[in-house]
Amino acid sequence: MRYLYGWILLAVLGLAIFTSCEKEDETWMNSTSGRVWKPEVELLVTSATSVKLQWSQPQYTSGLMDILPDIDPEQFHIYRSRQLDNGYEELAGIENKEGNYTFSLSGLQQDTPYYFYITASRKGLEVTSSDTLMVIPGTAPESETLFTKTDVRQIAFSSQLNKLAYVDPFYKYETENVPYSVTALLMSDLDGSNTEILAVNGTYPCWSNTGETLYFTYYNENPTAGQGEEQLAGLAIASQTITLLTGDEFSRWGSKLQPGGTLLAYQALLQEAENNNYLLKLAMLDLETLTEQEVVDESFFYLRSVNKLAWRDQDRILFDCLTAYDDYRIYQTDINTGTTTLLLPEEWNGMAPSVSPGGNYMAFVANRTGSSQIWLYNFDTASFRMLTGYTDTEYIIPGTTTIEWYDDHSILFVLNEEKVTRLKVK
């Protein structure tokens, strides 16, 4: 009997504690200590004159955002404008009832930029606002899948050979019946046929102006003392001969050849022995004299993780980089003066710039609609056009996507991490 009384007492205490915690949780969730969650919005073009907004609760993984609980909003309000900085009007107020976070809008003007944001509110709590997004309704450009292959990265197209070079980071082969997986530099026809391996541990392919040589970054797994792990190399296509172009303590990667010229632009990283600092530089190698010159020291203006170079013309280089504010932006550098400026001074991420052969357009990756898509920028008119983002089944990986121009009217890129795609931009 004594044990029975003990169990009853424990049950009563447990119920009291549970009820107390439940009340405390309810008080906590309804107090001003919480925060209404910020809508994460994505815009989709559903027709030439209509778009769909869909949003969700953000998923935080760690950090200060976990300290306060996310509280469900009671209402959402959708705002639209034809200008980025002003002129917003409220389109709709939506009660948060069933968790169906979508809103469709029709009757928009084709090929016209629109800007949207959504606020979330709950009585007694501060209103939160989503990021402002941009969308341009229109018809999806014509495109075709050239071939499908998993793990196609860093494509480079030679119009002279009509060949595609690319990197497979998980290329599999066998030696004496032993399977291996390596990073391989491959070449194929545009339909994916006649594939051949060009180099092991080769990345960032870049064709010469004649198509006779493929420049790339060679990764040395066992560098000697005073030698950087990554060096620039050239592969003569006819003889399949590889020649190292550099070999000192700098690591170099991501080269791009000057259009019609002999300058190979690249990024270089040097580790100082004394204080263990890393110096990141944008530099050039003259292929005729094999002399190098520094274009700009990126640490001077607090840029880091510089990637994906593109020549705008013979005097200007474009590149994307991670800034001190953890945003990706596209910058432009004059190789004669070293002057570096922000190309698109806007609030969205911009990556992977690629300039058309005629120099009038830039294709690039941006998150203007809330997801990473490929956009077209007209240098002459400072106007934009959406190239992808017309269906939620297609996606772009911003960190690995590179864009190549097939001609002055079409681009090549990898869609859904496996579809090598040709798309007409105009």
Side-chain angles (χ1 to χ4, degrees), residues 19 29 101 107 132 141 148 219 258 268 313 324 329 381 395-396 420 422:
T19 304
M29 292 298 289
Y101 305 137
T132 301
T148 299
Y219 177 75
Q258 182 186 40
D313 49 38
R329 297 291 186 267
T381 63
Y395 60 91
I396 300 293
V420 179
R422 179 165 56 194

Side-chain angles (χ1 to χ4, degrees), residues 120-175:
S121 62
R122 187 181 185 93
K123 185 177 180 180
L125 297 177
E126 184 178 352
V127 175
T128 61
S129 178
S130 72
D131 295 333
T132 301
L133 301 179
M134 173 184 179
V135 69
I136 302 179
T139 56
E142 180 182 342
S143 65
E144 61 174 322
T145 300
L146 300 179
F147 66 92
T148 299
K149 183 181 184 298
T150 57
D151 300 317
V152 176
R153 312 278 175 84
Q154 302 171 2
I155 61 174
F157 173 66
S158 170
S159 58
Q160 289 77 16
L161 302 180
N162 204 34
K163 291 279 190 177
L164 198 65
Y166 60 91
V167 174
D168 183 344
F170 308 107
Y171 183 76
K172 295 177 176 59
Y173 72 103
E174 289 188 2
T175 299

Side-chain angles (χ1 to χ4, degrees), residues 35-39 55-58 70-73 76 101 120 128:
R35 142 183 75 81
V36 176
W37 51 262
K38 173 183 175 181
W55 62 97
S56 61
Q57 180 179 357
D70 273 335
I71 298 177
D72 285 336
F76 299 101
Y101 305 137
T128 61

Side-chain angles (χ1 to χ4, degrees), residues 45 50 144 156 163 172 216 246 270 285 290 303 314 341 354:
V45 175
S50 61
E144 61 174 322
K163 291 279 190 177
K172 295 177 176 59
F216 66 97
T246 59
L270 173 66
L285 176 71
L290 294 185
L303 302 183
Q314 288 202 327
T341 56
S354 182

Side-chain angles (χ1 to χ4, degrees), residues 25-36 68-69 71 122-126:
D25 288 343
E26 184 178 352
T27 302
W28 170 263
M29 292 298 289
N30 288 305
S31 71
T32 56
S33 301
R35 142 183 75 81
V36 176
L68 296 177
I71 298 177
R122 187 181 185 93
K123 185 177 180 180
L125 297 177
E126 184 178 352

Side-chain angles (χ1 to χ4, degrees), residues 41-331:
V41 187
E42 181 179 355
L43 295 169
L44 288 173
V45 175
T46 53
S47 77
T49 58
S50 61
V51 299
K52 181 174 74 171
L53 294 82
Q54 53 190 30
W55 62 97
S56 61
Q57 180 179 357
Q59 301 297 318
Y60 304 116
T61 55
S62 62
L64 295 176
M65 302 302 290
D66 290 329
I67 294 177
L68 296 177
D70 273 335
I71 298 177
D72 285 336
E74 293 174 335
Q75 282 193 332
F76 299 101
H77 294 267
I78 301 172
Y79 296 86
R80 179 193 68 182
S81 177
R82 295 277 295 274
Q83 303 176 56
L84 174 59
D85 298 323
N86 54 59
Y88 285 90
E89 60 175 342
E90 183 177 344
L91 295 180
I94 302 173
E95 291 189 13
N96 183 12
K97 290 184 176 180
E98 300 177 358
N100 181 23
Y101 305 137
T102 62
F103 180 79
S104 296
L105 184 63
S106 60
L108 303 176
Q109 292 187 25
Q110 185 173 347
D111 301 325
T112 300
Y114 289 91
Y115 303 91
F116 293 87
Y117 71 89
I118 297 177
T119 62
S121 62
R122 187 181 185 93
K123 185 177 180 180
L125 297 177
E126 184 178 352
V127 175
T128 61
S129 178
S130 72
D131 295 333
T132 301
L133 301 179
M134 173 184 179
V135 69
I136 302 179
T139 56
E142 180 182 342
S143 65
E144 61 174 322
T145 300
L146 300 179
F147 66 92
T148 299
K149 183 181 184 298
T150 57
D151 300 317
V152 176
R153 312 278 175 84
Q154 302 171 2
I155 61 174
F157 173 66
S158 170
S159 58
Q160 289 77 16
L161 302 180
N162 204 34
K163 291 279 190 177
L164 198 65
Y166 60 91
V167 174
D168 183 344
F170 308 107
Y171 183 76
K172 295 177 176 59
Y173 72 103
E174 289 188 2
T175 299
E176 298 179 353
N177 295 324
V178 178
Y180 290 91
S181 178
V182 296
T183 298
L185 182 58
L186 306 174
M187 182 175 68
S188 74
D189 293 339
L190 281 181
D191 61 0
S193 62
N194 298 317
T195 302
E196 56 182 302
I197 183 168
L198 300 178
V200 174
N201 293 334
T203 57
Y204 298 102
C206 164
W207 289 98
S208 67
N209 295 312
T210 62
E212 297 175 348
T213 304
L214 183 68
Y215 301 105
F216 66 97
T217 300
Y218 172 69
Y219 177 75
N220 187 355
E221 295 178 324
N222 301 297
T224 59
Q227 186 180 45
E229 291 183 336
E230 294 176 296
Q231 299 296 333
L232 303 182
L235 169 67
I237 297 299
S239 63
Q240 296 290 291
T241 303
I242 297 177
T243 303
L244 282 179
L245 304 176
T246 59
D248 57 14
E249 68 273 21
F250 277 93
S251 284
R252 299 170 176 84
W253 70 95
S255 59
K256 280 292 183 179
L257 183 62
Q258 182 186 40
T262 62
L263 297 177
L264 197 64
Y266 59 90
Q267 300 111 80
L269 185 67
L270 173 66
Q271 182 178 5
E272 291 182 315
E274 296 181 358
N275 51 22
N276 206 34
N277 285 338
Y278 287 89
L279 301 178
L280 184 63
K281 300 178 182 297
L282 181 62
M284 297 184 302
L285 176 71
D286 191 320
L287 295 174
E288 291 184 343
T289 63
L290 294 185
T291 56
E292 292 182 284
Q293 69 179 85
E294 179 182 308
V295 179
V296 65
D297 181 353
E298 286 117 17
S299 62
F300 176 74
F301 49 92
Y302 307 105
L303 302 183
R304 50 197 175 96
S305 299
V306 174
N307 292 289
K308 300 183 179 69
L309 306 182
W311 287 85
R312 180 172 176 179
D313 49 38
Q314 288 202 327
D315 298 313
R316 291 175 291 182
I317 300 173
L318 306 180
F319 59 91
D320 73 46
C321 68
L322 184 63
T323 71
Y325 302 100
D326 289 330
D327 298 316
Y328 281 94
R329 297 291 186 267
I330 296 176
Y331 284 80

Side-chain angles (χ1 to χ4, degrees), residues 359-377:
N360 298 320
Y361 299 92
M362 176 184 70
F364 66 106
V365 176
N367 65 339
R368 293 167 178 257
T369 60
S371 63
S372 294
Q373 303 295 341
I374 296 181
W375 288 71
L376 186 71
Y377 179 68

